[in-house]
Amino acid sequence: MVDRIMKVNAYTTFDLLDGEVEGHGFEDEALAVLNVTAPRKNPDHVELQLEMDNTDLDAVKPHADSVTLSAAQARELAAELEEYAGRVEDAQSDD
């Protein structure tokens, strides 16, 4: 990805995922970077960051999105991800 906003390195959680942007009157697909992090010193939150490859997008200006989660919210999100991952695995094993 050219002209990245997020710092992407060996510690980035996921890079080059399939991403999708949807808005009123447009849909677009691009590669994406998804990262989970917390401050190194005295962490008081978990941060979830997402950046789409702006070279593949026409309708959206280059930007990165982030969400700040408490420890409890991060655990709730992790539990939801586990639940839905299980559903996908179960559906794939039925084939």
Side-chain angles (χ1 to χ4, degrees):
M1 287 173 32
V2 179
D3 194 27
R4 283 187 170 146
I5 295 169
M6 287 174 44
K7 183 177 181 179
V8 178
N9 57 35
Y11 302 104
T12 304
T13 308
F14 294 107
D15 58 341
L16 302 181
L17 297 171
D18 293 328
E20 192 175 305
V21 176
E22 183 179 343
H24 295 292
F26 70 91
E27 278 186 38
D28 218 343
E29 294 179 355
L31 295 175
V33 173
L34 180 65
N35 192 44
V36 179
T37 188
R40 288 181 186 227
K41 294 183 179 181
N42 302 317
D44 61 346
H45 66 278
V46 174
E47 188 171 14
L48 183 62
Q49 305 165 312
L50 175 68
E51 181 178 359
M52 305 294 285
D53 183 351
N54 60 50
T55 62
D56 289 339
L57 300 175
D58 295 322
V60 180
K61 291 184 179 184
H63 73 287
D65 296 305
S66 64
V67 176
T68 301
L69 305 169
S70 67
Q73 290 168 327
R75 285 190 181 93
E76 184 176 342
L77 175 60
E80 289 285 315
L81 289 169
E82 282 289 334
E83 178 183 335
Y84 285 99
R87 286 187 191 182
V88 170
E89 287 173 339
D90 289 347
Q92 291 177 348
S93 68
D94 290 343
D95 292 339

